[in-house]
Amino acid sequence: MGTGPSTPRRGGDDTAEYLIGTFVGGKAFPINSDYWQKLLELPFDLHWPVNRVEQACRTFAQNNHSTRHLAKILVHLTWCLQESLSNPDVSSVATMKAVNASYISSVFLKYSIENLKSENLEDLYLSLDESETIPNNIRKDESIIDMVMHAVLSYIGRVDISPKTNLLHHELLNFMLIAMSTQLLSGPSPGPNDFHPFIDAATSQESSLVDLVVHKLLLNYISRPRSKSSVSYNLISEENQLGVLKRVGSAAANIVLFPLSYFVNSSVEASRSQLADSSINILLILIHYRKCILVESMKNNNASLTSEYLLKDETYFAENPYCKALENVKDVEFDRVDIEGNAHSRPLVRLPFASLFDTLGMCLADETAVLLLYSLVHGNSDFLEYVLVRTDIDTLLMPLLETLYDASRRTSNQIYMVLIILLILSQDSSFNASIHKLILPSVPWYQERLLNQTSLGSLMVIILIRTVKYNMSKMRDVYLHTNCLATLANMAPHVHRLSSYASQRLVSLFDMLSRKYAKLAEVKNNKMQMSDSDPKDDDKTPEDTSAELHIYTDFLRIVLEILNAILTYALPRNPEVIYAIMHRQEVFQPFRNHPRFNELLENIFSVLDFFNSRMDAHKLDGEWSVEKVLQVININCRFWRGDGMKMFTQLRFTYEQESHPEEFFIPYVWQLVISRSGFSFGPSSINLFPVELPVEVSYSPGETKTDQNMQLNVKEAMESSV
């Protein structure tokens, strides 16, 4: 697309063509030129096809190094936001101009970022040319990036959402997402040479502004609509809202691929829900960002050290203020002075934990909500304490357990996050006790059998064991096994009236693991005999089999310790567990003399001997039934004293993050953003995580082209890469 005619024309479309053409063209307009006011004030009505938008972006990228128009429109965005901030309820013209400046900036900034020809982000040319006359309201010691990010964050944090500001809030969140997408260009391990100017500017803001932003983003999230009657305002009409970009927006959306449903959808719920989703995406990116800094003094003093050593041992991560703010969020009921009478050094982010709890419970089918819940219960001790004292903990647990039940349709990362949340909760003894007192009338999503009047604790045991079984057949992930068993071990001493089905599943878990153990032991013995005479390169080595056998030995021991904890600390309250062990007592016999298990099995057989002898002593007319066996067990539970039982230290597992959690969380957050927000980014430009590129297939003469999906499926590519 050319630069358009030399002077603006009066017609709306012609003027719009000229203004956009001039913006992307080679003629540089000074920052104080009237051109910028015309660009940001005139409403357009263009409907460009995607190829014209692409051409405009390419032309812009070729000329921006000389025109610096991207830097200039960011300055004007800053000025519009400053004007809107000074009087947000009155300055509707400034708000409209800010919407347009934000959208135009987003379109061309995104194209520039994902089409960088080098790793040097300075090629974005986000500074004014030295020949440019700098206005007085631009500080010479402040970069344009710092200036615009301060203005954007100030508006988001300080201006409430209203009919007049709703669209601008949407656009600023979209702008932030694009500005921070430079992370997609870097590798999965943050390094000191990574350059993310916009997100670095965001993390360098004063703590009071950071707190305001975290507060507003969380408020946006918990204010998502629950019903039509819960939202008290409506969107402005399209004519008043869209301003300059009514048509550039609809055309450029084909390039930016943002979720722009609010441009054409007047649904209040759609707008609020989208605002909530955008807010949570931005918050997750901000709290999980880590800036890697190289320690220069050590580098200079140890010039002979290898670069690998420098990267591993002489870098550190700067403190993330957004992560800190989230960790310090308090309930609205919290007193600003703690119990020791010490005032806090910074303003507290205060939120209604009740609303946050309810919103999370409503949204936990979505991975972003699971990740936010993880971030809160792991990092914020006050919110974790609030969750643990809620009497309706099923609000959170039921959707989490349903996610595990549906594991085959979930990503591995989502399953990990859910299991870690459950492990964190199970570290609290009151939680383990309370979940067995909460009775569920039914569990409609559980299809294998009817679960009526089942305790939440029993359901949790059933689902965790089911997850282990699924993992053994599909994922074969040791980490997942370990988390499931660790949570069950934490729960074991507090089990109360475990259901018959959960008790049967628990014994079946031991049986299932023992079968895997026996198979591995047989394979190991065979390989040891064949390793010297007939090695097979395509099979596992004896060492591999030995390592796997050792892992399953540990798993079996944990299950035995779980059973021991129930029998040692909670036997009288769990007759169904005793029945299940008696019913399947033969599965324990092969391990009775195993050196790793014999002490634990002594306790189990002590219980079996006690109750078997009571059964033998009980005179019965006719055959035994389940009800009659349970009746005898219940009667004799009263006489159980635990004589001869060996007391083992209670197992207690706690969750600790890996030493470099950023290597998991930063790619994971961006995977979620790309797969769920509608945000698209050129797959060939993504280095943060593996992406399957589109495949071009050529067909020989006479060969029929089958219906194949050769488009980039980011979600599938990301799931297979994790």
Side-chain angles (χ1 to χ4, degrees):
M1 183 174 69
T3 59
S6 56
T7 56
R9 299 177 183 176
R10 294 293 180 183
D13 284 356
D14 289 340
T15 303
E17 291 277 359
Y18 168 76
L19 290 170
I20 293 295
T22 304
F23 178 75
V24 305
K27 181 180 179 180
F29 280 84
I31 197 168
N32 282 328
S33 168
D34 291 342
Y35 161 78
W36 298 102
Q37 298 305 313
K38 296 173 183 176
L39 175 66
L40 299 181
E41 288 179 359
L42 282 180
F44 298 160
D45 198 10
L46 294 178
H47 296 278
W48 286 351
V50 65
N51 64 310
R52 288 204 68 195
V53 181
E54 291 175 347
Q55 187 180 11
C57 289
R58 284 196 300 271
T59 304
F60 174 82
Q62 294 167 3
N63 295 319
N64 184 51
H65 72 283
S66 59
T67 64
R68 305 297 173 99
H69 279 178
L70 183 54
K72 292 171 186 175
I73 198 169
L74 291 179
V75 172
H76 279 276
L77 171 59
T78 302
W79 290 342
C80 292
L81 290 174
Q82 290 171 344
E83 185 178 349
S84 296
L85 271 168
S86 63
N87 199 339
D89 295 327
V90 176
S91 186
S92 58
V93 175
T95 298
M96 183 194 74
K97 287 162 58 180
V99 168
N100 297 332
S102 178
Y103 194 91
I104 295 175
S105 301
S106 296
V107 171
F108 295 103
L109 177 61
K110 178 182 180 296
Y111 182 89
S112 300
I113 289 174
E114 70 182 318
N115 289 280
L116 279 174
K117 301 301 182 185
S118 69
E119 295 181 0
N120 186 5
L121 293 182
E122 292 180 1
D123 290 347
L124 295 175
Y125 301 105
L126 295 173
S127 60
L128 299 177
D129 191 88
E130 294 180 358
S131 61
E132 183 84 29
T133 302
I134 307 298
N136 294 331
N137 53 353
I138 297 180
R139 283 173 27 201
K140 293 183 178 180
D141 61 340
E142 184 178 31
S143 72
I144 290 175
I145 293 173
D146 288 334
M147 186 171 67
V148 72
M149 287 305 287
H150 179 77
V152 169
L153 292 169
S154 295
Y155 191 92
I156 290 173
R158 293 191 167 98
V159 177
D160 292 332
I161 297 172
S162 70
K164 293 181 179 179
T165 66
N166 184 59
L167 182 59
L168 182 51
H169 276 279
H170 276 292
E171 280 306 324
L172 293 180
L173 291 173
N174 289 343
F175 171 80
M176 281 193 66
L177 184 60
I178 281 178
M180 296 188 294
S181 69
T182 55
Q183 283 191 280
L184 292 167
L185 305 178
S186 299
S189 300
N193 295 324
D194 292 344
F195 186 51
H196 305 300
F198 287 97
I199 195 167
D200 285 341
T203 56
S204 66
Q205 302 299 319
E206 63 272 18
S207 61
S208 58
L209 178 55
V210 169
D211 289 342
L212 284 173
V213 171
V214 170
H215 180 253
K216 182 57 67 67
L217 293 175
L218 285 170
L219 273 183
N220 291 347
Y221 184 67
I222 65 179
S223 298
R224 66 189 311 136
R226 291 170 175 77
S227 64
K228 292 183 179 180
S229 61
S230 65
V231 183
S232 59
Y233 60 85
N234 293 300
L235 294 176
I236 315 168
S237 66
E238 278 191 11
E239 292 76 14
N240 293 332
Q241 274 190 328
L242 304 184
V244 172
L245 286 174
K246 179 178 179 182
R247 50 267 12 187
V248 177
S250 60
N254 292 310
I255 279 288
V256 182
L257 294 178
F258 258 38
L260 297 174
S261 59
Y262 54 87
F263 278 138
V264 294
N265 189 341
S266 60
S267 163
V268 175
E269 282 89 356
S271 177
R272 289 296 294 166
S273 181
Q274 184 190 29
L275 190 66
D277 291 341
S278 297
S279 296
I280 196 62
N281 287 335
I282 296 299
L283 180 63
L284 290 173
I285 292 171
L286 286 170
I287 65 175
H288 289 291
Y289 176 65
R290 295 294 180 270
K291 181 175 177 58
C292 185
I293 299 174
L294 184 64
V295 182
E296 292 291 339
S297 59
M298 295 180 68
K299 178 181 176 184
N300 294 334
N301 294 336
N302 297 275
S304 62
L305 296 177
T306 65
S307 59
E308 182 180 1
Y309 181 85
L310 284 172
L311 287 175
K312 287 186 176 180
D313 294 293
E314 298 192 21
T315 59
Y316 70 95
F317 291 108
E319 185 178 81
N320 183 326
Y322 293 91
C323 183
K324 197 73 176 174
L326 188 73
E327 291 174 355
N328 290 328
V329 170
K330 306 292 182 185
D331 196 359
V332 288
E333 305 298 329
F334 179 79
D335 192 337
R336 286 182 178 272
V337 179
D338 62 29
I339 57 175
E340 296 178 357
N342 299 318
H344 290 268
S345 59
R346 59 188 283 179
L348 291 171
V349 178
R350 295 162 65 88
L351 283 168
F353 277 4
S355 297
L356 182 56
F357 180 94
D358 292 340
T359 301
L360 287 167
M362 180 182 67
C363 300
L364 282 173
D366 183 76
E367 282 190 73
T368 54
V370 175
L371 185 51
L372 176 60
L373 177 58
Y374 162 80
S375 302
L376 286 165
V377 298
H378 174 254
N380 189 308
S381 57
D382 288 280
F383 186 75
L384 175 59
E385 182 180 346
Y386 176 85
V387 169
L388 292 172
V389 300
R390 285 282 296 237
T391 57
D392 58 343
I393 189 66
D394 55 307
T395 301
L396 296 184
L397 280 191
M398 289 299 283
L400 294 176
L401 295 176
E402 186 177 2
T403 296
L404 293 182
Y405 179 80
D406 242 359
S408 61
R409 292 191 289 178
R410 308 294 184 179
T411 67
S412 57
N413 286 347
Q414 186 176 8
I415 296 171
Y416 292 147
M417 289 293 97
V418 170
L419 288 174
I420 291 170
I421 291 168
L422 296 180
L423 177 57
I424 291 172
L425 296 176
S426 74
Q427 292 168 194
D428 183 80
S429 57
S430 64
F431 166 83
N432 294 323
S434 65
I435 57 176
H436 291 283
K437 298 174 183 176
L438 202 160
I439 304 300
L440 305 168
S442 64
V443 186
W445 45 261
Y446 195 91
Q447 299 296 311
E448 280 77 359
R449 64 183 292 162
L450 290 175
L451 296 179
N452 295 328
Q453 299 301 314
T454 298
S455 72
L456 183 58
S458 293
L459 178 64
M460 191 165 162
V461 170
I462 292 167
I463 296 299
L464 287 171
I465 293 172
R466 189 177 187 275
T467 305
V468 173
K469 291 186 66 175
Y470 170 77
N471 183 46
M472 285 186 67
S473 62
K474 301 293 184 182
M475 299 173 68
R476 297 180 178 88
D477 189 319
V478 172
Y479 181 75
L480 192 150
H481 265 355
T482 303
N483 270 348
C484 288
L485 296 177
T487 304
L488 287 169
N490 285 346
M491 295 168 61
H494 311 279
V495 166
H496 184 85
R497 309 295 296 182
L498 197 67
S499 71
S500 61
Y501 184 52
S503 302
Q504 294 164 21
R505 294 291 84 203
L506 196 53
V507 176
S508 294
L509 173 62
F510 179 84
D511 184 36
M512 178 178 60
L513 292 173
S514 67
R515 290 173 187 270
K516 178 70 172 178
Y517 173 89
K519 184 177 179 180
L520 287 169
E522 182 181 356
V523 170
K524 178 188 175 184
N525 291 334
N526 291 338
K527 285 184 177 296
M528 293 297 290
Q529 295 172 8
M530 299 173 59
S531 59
D532 294 331
S533 59
D534 186 22
K536 293 183 179 181
D537 294 335
D538 57 337
D539 287 344
K540 290 183 179 179
T541 65
E543 290 77 15
D544 292 336
T545 306
S546 294
E548 193 172 1
L549 185 63
H550 180 75
I551 289 170
Y552 275 87
T553 303
D554 288 342
F555 289 161
L556 276 172
R557 183 172 175 86
I558 292 176
V559 175
L560 288 175
E561 289 181 309
I562 291 169
L563 291 170
N564 259 268
I566 296 174
L567 298 178
T568 304
Y569 299 100
L571 183 146
R573 303 192 303 270
N574 290 283
E576 294 285 1
V577 176
I578 300 170
Y579 177 87
I581 293 173
M582 292 179 67
H583 184 64
R584 301 288 307 281
Q585 53 190 290
E586 74 280 355
V587 304
F588 302 103
Q589 194 65 42
F591 299 93
R592 192 164 190 173
N593 297 318
H594 193 291
R596 286 291 306 278
F597 309 141
N598 57 350
E599 285 189 332
L600 292 164
L601 282 168
E602 282 181 18
N603 280 350
I604 292 177
F605 280 102
S606 293
V607 173
L608 285 170
D609 291 343
F610 176 85
F611 284 95
N612 282 333
S613 64
R614 298 306 171 103
M615 294 288 295
D616 293 339
H618 191 84
K619 294 182 179 181
L620 179 70
D621 295 329
E623 295 184 358
W624 287 98
S625 65
V626 174
E627 291 75 15
K628 290 177 180 178
V629 173
L630 279 171
Q631 184 180 13
V632 173
I633 291 173
N634 274 305
I635 291 171
N636 286 282
C637 277
R638 305 169 193 168
F639 303 104
W640 171 258
R641 297 292 180 267
D643 296 337
M645 294 282 283
K646 292 184 179 180
M647 302 296 291
F648 295 96
T649 303
Q650 283 189 24
L651 283 184
R652 186 172 184 275
F653 292 89
T654 58
Y655 168 72
E656 291 183 4
Q657 274 192 347
E658 302 270 339
S659 57
H660 288 282
E662 70 285 342
E663 295 179 3
F664 170 82
F665 284 106
I666 294 176
Y668 181 37
V669 169
W670 277 102
Q671 288 169 3
L672 292 180
V673 168
I674 288 181
S675 66
R676 292 176 178 269
S677 71
F679 173 71
S680 175
F681 201 86
S684 61
S685 301
I686 296 176
N687 298 312
L688 186 61
F689 50 84
V691 176
E692 183 179 340
L693 298 176
V695 179
E696 294 184 6
V697 181
S698 59
Y699 297 91
S700 59
E703 185 179 4
T704 303
K705 179 178 179 181
T706 58
D707 183 16
Q708 300 182 54
N709 177 18
M710 293 178 288
Q711 301 298 316
L712 170 68
N713 188 324
V714 176
K715 185 173 187 295
E716 287 183 6
M718 291 184 301
E719 290 178 8
S720 63
S721 69
V722 178

